[in-house]
Amino acid sequence: MGSDHQHLLLHTEVRWLSRGKILNRLFELRQEVHMFLLEQKSAFSSLFENQDWVCRLAYLADIFDKLNDLNLSMQGFRTDELSLNSKMCAFIKKLEFWLKKVQRNSVSVFPTLDKFADDSEIDNLNTICDCIREHLTKLRDELVSYFPSIMNQDRTQDWIQNLFVEDVTSSSGLSDKLTENLIELASDRPLELKFQNVTVSQFWLEVKGEYKELSEIAMSALLPFGSTYLCEVSFSAMSLIKTKHRNRLSVQNDLIIAVSDIESRFDNILAKKQPQVSH
């Protein structure tokens, strides 16, 4: 039929990203699916003839795509609680922005729905906007209930990620001695250049020798795991290493190598080993 895709995607509970991808694929193949359902004389074929239902499908494809982007941005090895809080706070503020747009009967923030509405010249867009507004409101309330402290963030740790700003000590919450050290550190031009070229964690580790107390406070906020990503990576690596054929294998050392991003120094390791010599 000349379609861009050859099959529909199946939803699985294990792969949370699939929940958003199947909606996009179903919307893109809606005409082909409609023809198939007509051939099968299925009652579901009437859904694809209903503009209101297709609009809801397009909206769900868009909102799940945005949720997938948020989830992916919060994964990875070098994530910390401070950055994750900022991303979640930004998403909640985006929800409020989307609500304001929908309240003016504008769906421009949802590209799939917006294109479908323009191409199909939908008459009852106001009804669709009412439904979207109700869903966005519930989604925002649910996120705020899960993360009650997100919108009232503690600004006393802003200096950890935004050290070289004009008024870094205004809400640091540090003692007088540490505040003086913070002022001294924030006025160091070479360190400011280094801060721009390395990660936040690397910076605080490098200044630990001179600013030990500030570094320890910063690292205590950056070290805790912000998500279960590292645990999931470890379980995935262990399932590949320890199979039924190697069920008695001790995986501790192998697992460390598999999940670590530090390159092994094979030359040093081999130098400590006695080579096999002929008898």
Side-chain angles (χ1 to χ4, degrees):
M1 300 176 66
S3 303
D4 293 333
H5 309 291
Q6 297 182 358
H7 56 80
L8 290 172
L9 298 178
L10 298 179
H11 167 249
T12 61
E13 289 292 342
V14 177
R15 300 180 183 276
W16 45 267
L17 284 175
S18 68
R19 188 169 295 184
K21 292 181 179 179
I22 60 167
L23 292 170
N24 280 310
R25 181 65 60 87
L26 179 60
F27 182 82
E28 293 174 4
L29 291 175
R30 63 187 183 279
Q31 295 179 353
E32 291 83 350
V33 173
H34 180 217
M35 294 179 63
F36 172 78
L37 293 175
L38 285 175
E39 292 177 356
Q40 300 298 318
K41 298 181 181 179
S42 172
F44 291 112
S45 62
S46 60
L47 294 176
F48 292 90
E49 300 170 1
N50 187 340
Q51 281 191 341
D52 182 77
W53 187 88
V54 178
C55 284
R56 294 168 188 262
L57 174 62
Y59 163 71
L60 287 177
D62 283 327
I63 194 65
F64 269 98
D65 190 50
K66 295 179 184 296
L67 288 170
N68 281 353
D69 290 340
L70 173 65
N71 286 328
L72 287 174
S73 69
M74 300 177 73
Q75 304 298 317
F77 284 98
R78 294 181 177 87
T79 57
D80 56 80
E81 185 178 349
L82 299 179
S83 62
L84 297 184
N85 283 341
S86 300
K87 291 179 180 180
M88 183 57 66
C89 181
F91 187 79
I92 294 176
K93 291 181 178 179
K94 287 180 183 179
L95 283 173
E96 295 175 350
F97 168 68
W98 300 336
L99 268 171
K100 292 179 181 178
K101 295 287 289 186
V102 174
Q103 286 173 353
R104 296 194 294 267
N105 294 328
S106 173
V107 292
S108 59
V109 292
F110 304 110
T112 304
L113 175 58
D114 187 41
K115 187 176 184 304
F116 177 75
D118 290 340
D119 295 341
S120 304
E121 299 180 357
I122 299 174
D123 298 328
N124 60 336
L125 187 59
N126 294 343
T127 305
I128 302 299
C129 288
D130 292 339
C131 179
I132 294 175
R133 184 169 59 251
E134 180 182 358
H135 180 260
L136 290 177
T137 302
K138 291 182 178 180
L139 179 59
R140 180 197 58 191
D141 295 342
E142 283 291 325
L143 290 177
V144 173
S145 67
Y146 276 118
F147 310 100
S149 61
I150 287 293
M151 301 308 295
N152 298 315
Q153 293 189 50
D154 185 6
R155 315 303 299 185
T156 58
Q157 294 184 322
D158 284 357
W159 58 273
I160 297 175
Q161 292 182 305
N162 300 290
L163 177 62
F164 298 96
V165 293
E166 293 183 0
D167 196 10
V168 68
T169 62
S170 61
S171 59
S172 63
L174 299 173
S175 63
D176 293 343
K177 180 181 178 181
L178 291 179
T179 300
E180 292 176 359
N181 292 339
L182 185 62
I183 294 174
E184 180 181 347
L185 176 58
S187 303
D188 195 319
R189 179 61 179 171
L191 288 180
E192 182 178 357
L193 297 176
K194 179 179 292 185
F195 186 79
Q196 298 173 357
N197 298 322
V198 298
T199 63
V200 178
S201 300
Q202 288 176 334
F203 173 81
W204 285 112
L205 287 175
E206 291 183 8
V207 301
K208 185 177 181 179
E210 189 174 357
Y211 302 95
K212 181 179 179 181
E213 294 182 352
L214 288 176
S215 176
E216 290 178 350
I217 295 174
M219 293 308 299
S220 66
L222 295 172
L223 280 178
F225 295 156
S227 68
T228 60
Y229 179 82
L230 294 178
C231 298
E232 294 171 1
V233 169
S234 300
F235 279 119
S236 298
M238 186 176 67
S239 65
L240 294 175
I241 295 173
K242 194 167 187 176
T243 64
K244 64 179 182 180
H245 302 292
R246 299 188 293 179
N247 55 4
R248 299 183 63 182
L249 176 69
S250 178
V251 299
Q252 180 178 355
N253 295 331
D254 298 303
L255 191 60
I256 293 175
I257 296 176
V259 300
S260 176
D261 58 348
I262 301 176
E263 295 184 3
S264 301
R265 300 176 180 177
F266 290 106
D267 294 337
N268 294 344
I269 296 174
L270 295 175
K272 298 178 182 178
K273 299 297 181 180
Q274 175 67 38
Q276 180 66 36
V277 296
S278 59
H279 297 285

